[in-house]
Amino acid sequence: KNEVEQSPQNLTAQEGEFITINCSYSVGISALHWLQQHPGGGIVSLFMLSSGKKKHGRLIATINIQEKHSSLHITASHPRDSAVYICAAGGSNYKLTFGKGTLLTVNP
Amino acid sequence: NAGVMQNPRHLVRRRGQEARLRCSPMKGHSHVYWYRQLPEEGLKFMVYLQKENIIDESGMPKERFSAEFPKEGPSILRIQQVVRGDSAAYFCASSLTSGRATDTQYFGPGTRLTVL
């Protein structure tokens, strides 16, 4: 069993819908990262969370340390949001444990 | 304001050949991480380097794989005598501060290695 589990694996939405991607982890962490990987493979760091909530544009990330769970929300989704979204848990040091990713497709 | 650069972007090798993957970190970054992404799998940590030092290579296969980050020039991930199972995307990332979980790691575009 992977230490970081994401759900769903695949998600298809219509433009404008509210999107939620979930991440559960079984290890103690000091930080939780959300990454975006576009077709063609480039990876971009979206958020780093230690607690609470962060917002950037239409993206919102939350974390519940007690429940070992984080969510990434996208409001007013757009086809350009189509990508693989990856969560990664960081423990006491630099070594990140990655989920397998959620493939999001937003149709116009 | 160049980000992390990797080359080549695509590399095709025949079984038994050597593969050399290069990574130039962001300007001012002295911490480099290599990751491997196998098909249908998540990214897996391979090695963490600082200039002229391997800090943690616990994710590297014990044989055929090596990494370096010389004083001058890019970091190199070297795979000797490649096998089909080495086919994957290899990403490097760099960070500004000393390796902690809270550091933002900036990723390169990856090198896609195909072994025929």
Side-chain angles (χ1 to χ4, degrees), chain A residues 8-104:
Chain A
Q9 280 187 298
N10 295 281
L11 180 56
T12 300
Q14 288 299 122
E15 184 173 355
E17 286 185 359
F18 181 82
I19 304 289
T20 295
I21 298 170
N22 296 298
C23 175
S24 297
Y25 51 92
S26 58
V27 296
I29 67 164
S30 56
L32 191 289
H33 298 257
W34 281 101
L35 311 168
Q36 180 191 56
Q37 185 174 21
H38 271 286
I43 296 174
V44 174
S45 180
L46 297 175
F47 294 104
M48 189 281 294
L49 291 161
S50 299
S51 63
K53 176 179 171 178
K54 285 191 177 178
K55 184 175 189 291
H56 185 255
R58 295 179 295 104
L59 300 178
I60 303 166
T62 63
I63 189 167
N64 184 317
I65 298 292
Q66 286 74 31
E67 294 186 5
K68 296 187 175 176
H69 181 268
S70 176
S71 293
L72 177 69
H73 305 286
I74 305 175
T75 61
S77 59
H78 190 275
R80 65 173 174 267
D81 297 326
S82 297
V84 175
Y85 292 84
I86 301 168
C87 76
S92 58
N93 62 22
Y94 48 84
K95 202 177 290 185
L96 299 178
T97 302
F98 296 82
K100 291 187 179 182
T102 295
L103 174 60
L104 172 65

Side-chain angles (χ1 to χ4, degrees), chain A residues 2 30-31 33 35 37 40-45 48 50 86 90-100, chain B residues 9 33 35 37 40-45 48 55-56 58 91 99-105 107-109 112:
Chain A
N2 201 27
S30 56
H33 298 257
L35 311 168
Q37 185 174 21
I43 296 174
V44 174
S45 180
M48 189 281 294
S50 299
I86 301 168
S92 58
N93 62 22
Y94 48 84
K95 202 177 290 185
L96 299 178
T97 302
F98 296 82
K100 291 187 179 182
Chain B
R9 294 291 305 276
Y33 315 82
Y35 298 95
Q37 187 178 40
E40 309 301 319
E41 294 291 323
L43 289 152
K44 294 281 194 291
F45 168 82
Y48 163 41
I55 307 302
D56 180 353
S58 59
F91 289 90
R100 299 170 302 189
T102 51
D103 295 332
T104 295
Q105 295 183 22
F107 285 80
R112 274 144 192 85

